[in-house]
Amino acid sequence: MQVGEKLGAYEVIAKLGEGGMGQVFRATDTKLKRQVAIKILPPSLAADHDRLARFQREAEVLASLNHPNIAAIYGLEEDRGVTALVMELVEGEDLSRRIARGAMPLDEALPIARQIAEALEAAHERGIIHRDLKPANIKIRTDGTVKVLDFGLAKAMEPAVGSSPGVSMSPTITSPAMTQAGMILGTAAYMAPEQAKGRAVDKRADIFAFGAVLYEMLAGTRAFQGEDVTDLIVAVVSKEPDWAALSPSTSLSVRSTLRRCLEKDPKRRLRDIGEARLALDGANDPAPPPERQKPRPMVRTLAVMTVVSLAVAALVSWSRPATNGKDSARLNISLPPGAEITSYPAITRDGRTVAYVSQQGAGDAQLYLRDLSAFEARAVAGSAGAKQPFFSPDGRWVAFFSRGQLWKAEVAGGAPVRIADAAYAFGGTWNDDNTIIYATSLGSGLFRIPAAGGNPESLTRPDGAAKGYAHVFPQALPGGKSVLLAVWGQTQGSAVLSLETGQWQVVLPMPSFSASLFDPSEGSSGRLLLIDQAASVRAAPLDSAHPALTSTDATVLENVHFDVETEIAAWLAVSNTGTAVYAPGNPARTSLVWVDQTGKIESLGREQDIYRESSISPDGTKAVVRHGLNLWIHDLRRGTRNPLTSGNAGNILPQWTRDGLRIVFASNRGGDWDIYSQPADASRPAEVLLKQPNDQFPYSILADGTLVFTEIQAKTGRDIWMLPPGGTPAPVRVTPFNDLAPQFSPGPAGGPRWIVYASDESGRNEVYIQSFPGGQNRIPVSTGGGILPMWSPDGKEIFYLSPDAVMAVTMQPDGGIGAPRRLFDRSPFLINDRFHSYSVSADGKRFLMIQRDAGSVPRQLNVILNWQGELKPPSK
């Protein structure tokens, strides 16, 4: 299924996830005008009778349950050979993502645990066992309501002697093929011992899983650990949880409940989940203080020796490269209040030092270094505007891009040193031969330059066709003889470039533009790590010494941030020693809102999506909104929406023509980025409006059809051009600086014209106006930084974004400019200086903006030590 397709009455909006039972999508019920989740079982899987039986069973189980803590089913849909469950769409994060942020305090964990118990109790009362309860199958809505999901492994309980009348024993719920002796179902870390052994189970298996989940909530780590399924099963069957991992404040009643839930022998386990629920009510009584015993002399001596031995072992371990130890540890790097991560992180090969870029308030983004052996991060002096950091192989230098230049700075301290021009950089890497390989702009291809500086050497050349329009985000591979890169265009995917032959080959084809990174913790036999639109990282095995086609086979990390438009790779870095660092956050957690000039917010609905741009129609009744990389027409009065574009190509920067009949936008469907025009009612396909070398992006249209657009040049960055109706492109402003977001002033045809735009010529982005055509009377508009200028519909005001606020400036007919005045704080909203991050209403009194959920903003870095211990080694 593709976004925009229909399955019966359901229109697919976005992909939410994928697993062994198919794919899950957000969809619109076009009959009842509501958002739903649909789980798709495609024909290829429907041919598997066991999978089809499990799918049918899940539908029947959910249909028999009606409880506020169980996600409801709306129906079973079949269309064109595709079978789908139509279910309640549960907004919020799953419990595994919350636990990944650390142990939960008792007052947060208990209300969640009670609701889980109530859901299981309702299922058990209907004679249904879940059999796959785990944090990933539990969702927490923003209002605190818990929903238990995925009853795909559920089965009916066998009738017991003296069972209560009225308990449903539907024989259709269980497939004999799935419950035969020895068949292990569920997820190993949460299985009851009898389930792990493949024996018959009853509701006490769910009670054991409930205990494992509650333990993990309170301890922040799993009750049973293991490197693979075999280790996990051994732990579940024969080992006790580490009870010392629970907080000392965990009450005695909670500890007792956990122990009874996690009894190995089901006969000694709690008999009913209702007992656990009742035990948790009022369970905040304090834990007794730990008993203190005076140690005997020999015990004291042994304790001292043990502490010294452990300290020496820790010191030795830290002073040498990490080994493939099984135990992982987690920590986070917190930012000051209000700060956020603005680019992907980097880590030295030995895993000791992390580089990251963050911005706070109106300040410039700044590069920071954090030694994992230190408590504090330190700023790199002179790194204002930094992005896309990477380290030298020995970890002594950190390189980054800033203000159209490539820089390096000593990790030990010192002023940055300029290496080369990089007008609009798309990633870099430092190779073993002390050269730096980088993309100076979107269509430049890769260049190589000595780390000490010199003349750049061209390594690859995009052609806008079979060789793609962009070669970006290089990463040096083990051995220093090849480089991983992302190729975008007609050929698309992750590729390996041989530095010896100059040839590259795609190893991981991708339907839409993205970028993977290589996990070097296993040497050359590692994996590619690829982000998906659900903010999950999937892995694909790759031997970088012998590259060949591969495909993703497993999800290895969730809730990882990425930039939908530019830094499309996961904001994740992995050292050679297996330390992973990533920025948590899901960019899909945004919503459309109206904001008036005082900052008052009015929601347009609670649906969240990867909203990225908006443009309001001239009559103010509709908006074209970008969802990820496709465009949708939203009816602002009726609250409905319909797709304008579909497929895997990118479609960005939508503009209405002045008559409101067409949408002009940029798309890479033809190879590189060209400009297209399409009827706003989607009655006909898009037509090419401008196709020429380099990449072009539309920004504003006059009533006579004159278009102003920007073009990316390798040497001059972004320049402003115009395209008259039926004419040829002509330059408006071509400089060594990046000129962005040009907008024609409104007004009658033939009247005085102005263009407002942003430029970084002063060292930071500021807003300017200049007359059109001709370019005389160039006047500064902003005074403290500015991006994304917009005219009011009557042409009497210019709106723009300062580093911390939405601003307004009065415009006089003679070109006089008033003093900038602050309207409201911009921090709650999604802003990207290259796109239409907001739009002005037809009356000029409010703005259509994209509000960020707290979970979409990366405000810390998570660090996992020995992360390779969590990954299944790639098959040889």
Side-chain angles (χ1 to χ4, degrees):
M1 297 294 294
Q2 300 293 326
V3 172
E5 284 190 50
K6 282 191 174 181
L7 184 72
Y10 303 98
E11 184 175 289
V12 173
I13 294 176
K15 186 176 179 180
L16 298 177
E18 185 171 356
M21 281 301 296
Q23 300 170 320
V24 181
F25 295 87
R26 174 196 287 266
T28 297
D29 183 337
T30 57
K31 291 183 178 179
L32 299 179
K33 308 300 181 185
R34 64 180 174 182
Q35 298 294 292
V36 299
I38 56 174
K39 181 185 287 189
I40 302 291
L41 186 67
S44 60
L45 295 182
D48 184 328
H49 295 297
D50 282 345
R51 288 177 186 264
L52 186 60
R54 174 179 166 183
F55 211 69
Q56 179 72 26
R57 183 171 55 258
E58 183 175 4
E60 294 175 1
V61 167
L62 289 174
S64 70
L65 298 173
N66 182 17
H67 191 272
N69 296 120
I70 297 175
I73 186 170
Y74 298 146
L76 189 65
E77 187 79 18
E78 294 187 14
D79 185 22
R80 300 179 308 240
V82 175
T83 304
L85 293 181
V86 184
M87 300 177 291
E88 175 186 4
L89 178 66
V90 183
E91 304 280 12
E93 67 176 352
D94 66 53
L95 184 57
S96 67
R97 296 184 179 183
R98 169 59 190 90
I99 293 173
R101 298 198 296 271
M104 301 166 65
L106 204 61
D107 59 356
E108 180 185 357
L110 290 186
I112 295 172
R114 291 189 189 100
Q115 293 181 72
I116 298 170
E118 288 173 2
L120 292 177
E121 192 171 10
H124 293 173
E125 286 175 353
R126 299 290 298 170
I128 295 166
I129 314 167
H130 190 288
R131 296 202 301 175
D132 195 22
L133 186 72
K134 56 186 177 183
N137 284 341
I138 299 164
K139 270 210 168 183
I140 308 168
R141 295 197 325 196
T142 53
D143 63 0
T145 302
V146 171
K147 294 279 187 177
V148 176
L149 314 174
D150 201 349
F151 277 77
L153 292 183
K155 70 180 290 287
M157 289 184 281
E158 298 298 329
V161 177
S163 61
S164 301
V167 176
S168 172
M169 298 294 177
S170 169
T172 63
I173 294 178
T174 305
S175 164
M178 296 186 67
T179 56
Q180 58 187 325
M183 184 71 172
I184 298 176
L185 302 174
T187 303
Y190 307 93
M191 287 182 181
E194 63 272 22
Q195 188 178 8
K197 295 175 182 178
R199 296 175 180 171
V201 299
D202 58 21
K203 63 185 180 181
R204 290 171 294 182
D206 281 352
I207 294 172
F208 188 93
F210 171 81
V213 170
L214 178 55
Y215 175 96
E216 190 170 340
M217 292 164 65
L218 297 173
T221 186
R222 286 180 177 175
F224 304 101
Q225 305 281 344
E227 185 174 347
D228 52 30
V229 173
T230 302
D231 289 346
L232 279 171
I233 291 176
V234 170
V236 165
V237 171
S238 62
K239 296 183 180 179
E240 282 293 307
D242 180 8
W243 299 110
L246 295 173
S247 168
S249 63
T250 304
S251 64
L252 184 62
S253 59
V254 171
R255 291 173 182 269
S256 175
T257 301
L258 279 173
R259 288 181 180 275
R260 294 195 64 196
C261 288
L262 294 175
E263 282 282 356
K264 306 291 186 188
D265 185 350
K267 295 179 181 179
R268 299 175 58 86
R269 201 176 302 148
L270 280 179
R271 296 296 182 107
D272 197 295
I273 192 65
E275 296 178 42
R277 176 179 56 78
L278 292 173
L280 296 179
D281 290 336
N284 284 321
D285 51 305
E291 295 183 5
R292 293 180 177 269
Q293 294 183 347
K294 186 176 180 180
R296 291 172 291 177
M298 180 59 71
V299 173
R300 185 186 300 114
T301 301
L302 290 173
V304 171
M305 292 175 64
T306 301
V307 170
V308 172
S309 299
L310 289 174
V312 172
L315 182 61
V316 170
S317 175
W318 181 253
S319 64
R320 68 187 180 198
T323 60
N324 291 337
K326 293 184 178 181
D327 295 331
S328 65
R330 290 171 169 81
L331 56 105
N332 63 62
I333 299 174
S334 300
L335 304 185
E340 63 182 89
I341 306 294
T342 58
S343 187
Y344 53 71
I347 190 168
T348 52
R349 294 188 181 185
D350 62 10
R352 297 187 181 194
T353 306
V354 171
Y356 64 92
V357 179
S358 74
Q359 182 176 9
Q360 186 167 24
D364 289 324
Q366 185 87 11
L367 180 64
Y368 292 86
L369 298 174
R370 168 68 184 271
D371 296 323
L372 295 187
S373 59
F375 287 112
E376 302 292 337
R378 48 196 171 90
V380 175
S383 64
K387 64 178 181 179
Q388 302 169 9
F390 54 97
F391 284 101
S392 62
D394 60 9
R396 294 177 55 195
W397 293 86
V398 61
F400 60 94
F401 300 96
S402 174
R403 309 196 192 287
Q405 308 288 328
L406 169 62
W407 304 81
K408 67 177 183 179
E410 285 191 88
V411 170
V417 177
R418 178 190 171 280
I419 300 174
D421 291 332
Y424 214 90
F426 276 78
T429 188
W430 200 312
N431 200 22
D432 292 351
D433 60 1
N434 206 31
T435 62
I436 290 176
I437 299 168
Y438 64 106
T440 184
S441 69
L442 185 63
S444 66
L446 297 183
F447 287 85
R448 176 168 56 188
I449 191 171
N455 294 320
E457 168 197 1
S458 176
L459 293 180
T460 68
R461 293 183 181 274
D463 62 3
K467 294 183 180 179
Y469 68 85
H471 300 164
V472 292
F473 298 116
Q475 180 188 357
L477 294 173
K481 296 182 179 180
S482 56
V483 172
L484 179 73
L485 68 147
V487 178
W488 298 342
Q490 289 184 7
T491 300
Q492 198 147 256
S494 294
V496 173
L497 166 69
S498 169
L499 296 176
E500 296 176 330
T501 67
Q503 302 298 309
W504 55 266
Q505 61 175 314
V506 172
V507 293
L508 181 60
M510 288 176 279
S512 61
F513 78 90
S514 186
S516 62
L517 58 97
F518 184 75
D519 173 6
S521 58
E522 298 290 338
S524 62
S525 297
R527 342 184 126 206
L528 297 180
L529 303 175
L530 181 69
I531 196 78
D532 63 23
Q533 294 293 298
S536 297
V537 176
R538 295 179 64 79
L542 179 72
D543 182 352
S544 63
H546 304 91
L549 280 175
T550 185
S551 60
T552 56
D553 58 6
T555 297
V556 295
L557 202 58
E558 295 184 319
N559 196 41
V560 180
H561 193 77
F562 63 99
D563 182 338
V564 175
E565 294 89 4
T566 303
E567 295 179 18
I568 199 70
W571 286 17
L572 164 71
V574 186
S575 74
N576 291 18
T577 59
T579 297
V581 56
Y582 69 96
N586 187 343
R589 300 181 66 173
T590 61
S591 54
L592 289 175
V593 294
W594 284 114
V595 188
D596 68 18
Q597 293 199 15
T598 68
K600 182 180 179 181
I601 298 174
E602 176 188 344
S603 174
L604 272 77
R606 300 188 64 181
E607 295 93 350
Q608 291 188 328
D609 203 344
I610 309 180
Y611 297 117
R612 283 303 177 266
E613 298 186 76
S614 68
S615 179
I616 298 175
S617 63
D619 64 4
T621 63
K622 296 181 176 65
V624 55
V625 178
R626 177 155 67 87
H627 300 209
L629 292 171
N630 270 304
L631 305 179
W632 291 65
I633 303 296
H634 286 233
D635 189 314
L636 299 177
R637 296 172 301 181
R638 298 171 54 210
T640 60
R641 59 187 182 183
N642 292 291
L644 180 70
T645 67
S646 62
N648 294 317
N651 304 279
I652 63 175
L653 290 161
Q655 293 287 325
W656 294 85
T657 54
R658 292 294 174 96
D659 58 12
L661 297 179
R662 300 184 72 85
I663 306 295
V664 175
F665 58 94
S667 178
N668 63 358
R669 65 187 64 186
D672 55 3
W673 288 96
D674 302 305
I675 299 177
Y676 290 76
S677 174
Q678 184 171 359
D681 62 3
S683 58
R684 292 191 303 277
E687 303 169 354
V688 175
L689 189 61
L690 175 65
K691 183 175 181 62
Q692 61 183 28
N694 301 313
D695 299 295
Q696 294 79 36
F697 305 94
Y699 277 93
S700 185
I701 307 169
L702 287 176
D704 67 1
T706 299
L707 172 71
V708 64
F709 64 94
T710 62
E711 181 174 88
I712 297 181
Q713 293 279 355
K715 293 184 178 180
T716 59
R718 291 185 178 249
D719 302 319
I720 301 176
W721 290 68
M722 60 167 285
L723 176 67
T728 58
V732 175
R733 182 172 171 80
V734 178
T735 71
F737 312 107
N738 288 301
D739 299 314
L740 296 167
Q743 298 283 319
F744 283 125
S745 62
R753 291 289 178 191
W754 298 88
I755 286 183
V756 64
Y757 61 93
S759 175
D760 62 5
E761 64 181 272
S762 69
R764 68 177 177 185
N765 281 309
E766 297 282 5
V767 175
Y768 302 86
I769 62 169
Q770 68 181 44
S771 57
F772 175 83
Q776 301 88 357
N777 303 321
R778 184 166 177 268
I779 304 169
V781 175
S782 61
T783 57
I787 58 172
L788 295 179
M790 290 274 185
W791 295 93
S792 63
D794 59 11
K796 295 180 179 180
E797 285 186 300
I798 297 171
F799 304 108
Y800 69 91
L801 304 179
S802 73
D804 65 347
V806 177
M807 309 289 290
V809 171
T810 301
M811 177 76 180
Q812 302 297 332
D814 61 358
I817 297 291
R821 66 185 189 278
R822 179 188 176 98
L823 297 182
F824 56 88
D825 179 18
R826 60 171 261 190
S827 62
F829 309 106
L830 179 75
I831 304 297
N832 187 305
D833 65 358
R834 296 186 296 111
F835 299 101
H836 298 304
S837 298
Y838 71 107
S839 188
V840 183
S841 65
D843 61 8
K845 294 182 179 180
R846 56 182 183 169
F847 308 90
L848 183 61
M849 304 191 76
I850 300 167
Q851 186 175 28
R852 303 188 297 176
D853 183 281
S856 73
V857 185
R859 299 197 184 277
Q860 70 177 40
L861 290 173
N862 289 350
V863 180
I864 308 176
L865 308 180
N866 286 327
W867 188 50
Q868 74 272 26
E870 298 183 350
L871 297 177
K872 182 180 178 180
S875 57
K876 298 293 191 291

